[in-house]
Amino acid sequence: LLREHSENISWLGLSMNSNGGQGVVYFGDITCAGGITYTLSVPGAEYTSVYGPRYDATTELFTFVGSYTLENDTTIYAFLFRGEFNDLANPAKYVFQMNFNPTLYTTSFTHSTDGMFAVGNSGSVEATDTYSWLYNIITETYTPISFPNAKTTTTYGIIKNANGSYTIVGGYSSSKQ
C-alpha cells in the first residue's frame, strides 16, 4: 500500500493535542481527497513537526526531516529520519539533535532533504546571528551556509537537479530580525 502512494506525498505538518504534538504524513493526491494520513513522532519527543518528505523508489527508503522538543526542555532540536516507513519508531533510523553549533544555538530546524543532503538552520534568542547549514547524510558532516555580510541566513529547500548538481533556496537579512 505504501509503495502505491509513496510518490504522492502531498503534505506534512503538525497535529496538536493535549498530550503533545505529532508530525502528520499524508499520502494521496494534492486535493487531499481519499488519501491516507499517518502520524510521525520522533521517539521520546513531546512534540514533533515534520517537513521535507522524500521517497527513493530504488531503495524504497523514506527520508523525513523536521524538529522536535523533549519534555521539560526549552531546546528545539532538528532531526532526520531515513528508513522504511515501518521503521518510524526505531531510534536507530534517526539522526537526533542536528545543530551546526550546539554550544551556541538552542533552536534548530531541518527543513528539506534530497539525495545525500539536508538543509536547516540553527539559532537562538540570545545569539547575534543564525546559521544555515548543509548536512551530508553519508559523512555526517555540516557545511555552514552564510550569505555574504548577512546576520541571518535561512535555508528552506534543497533539490537534486537532473545533472547531479543541487539547488538550495532560502533567505537572509543584514540585521538580526
Side-chain angles (χ1 to χ4, degrees):
L1 179 63
L2 290 176
R3 260 188 229 123
E4 180 180 318
H5 296 287
S6 60
E7 294 182 10
N8 296 317
I9 301 173
S10 292
W11 55 262
L12 299 169
L14 172 67
S15 172
M16 300 291 288
N17 61 44
S18 61
N19 297 322
Q22 299 177 334
V24 177
V25 180
Y26 171 79
F27 293 93
D29 68 30
I30 199 71
T31 67
C32 299
I36 303 169
T37 302
Y38 298 90
T39 59
L40 184 159
S41 290
V42 169
E46 182 177 24
Y47 295 96
T48 300
S49 189
V50 61
Y51 332 108
R54 290 288 181 255
Y55 177 74
D56 184 330
T58 304
T59 64
E60 297 185 353
L61 295 179
F62 289 88
T63 304
F64 299 113
V65 296
S67 61
Y68 66 100
T69 61
L70 301 172
E71 189 173 359
N72 300 317
D73 186 343
T74 58
T75 301
I76 299 173
Y77 299 101
F79 77 91
L80 179 142
F81 166 85
R82 187 175 228 179
E84 295 179 5
F85 199 77
N86 295 334
D87 289 331
L88 288 174
N90 182 351
K93 299 295 181 176
Y94 286 81
V95 177
F96 294 104
Q97 299 185 7
M98 298 175 73
N99 189 330
F100 172 70
N101 187 343
T103 59
L104 182 61
Y105 301 121
T106 58
T107 300
S108 289
F109 298 91
T110 312
H111 288 291
S112 182
T113 182
D114 202 1
M116 62 184 212
F117 295 104
V119 293
N121 305 327
S122 296
S124 66
V125 173
E126 301 81 19
T128 59
D129 55 10
T130 62
Y131 273 94
S132 286
W133 37 263
L134 175 73
Y135 179 78
N136 185 314
I137 297 168
I138 306 303
T139 64
E140 300 178 355
T141 56
Y142 293 89
T143 302
I145 300 171
S146 181
F147 192 81
N149 301 314
K151 291 297 274 181
T152 63
T153 302
T154 57
T155 50
Y156 291 113
I158 184 169
I159 185 170
K160 186 174 183 180
N161 302 311
N163 67 1
S165 66
Y166 287 82
T167 300
I168 298 173
V169 296
Y172 74 96
S173 175
S174 57
S175 64
K176 184 181 179 198
Q177 297 179 353

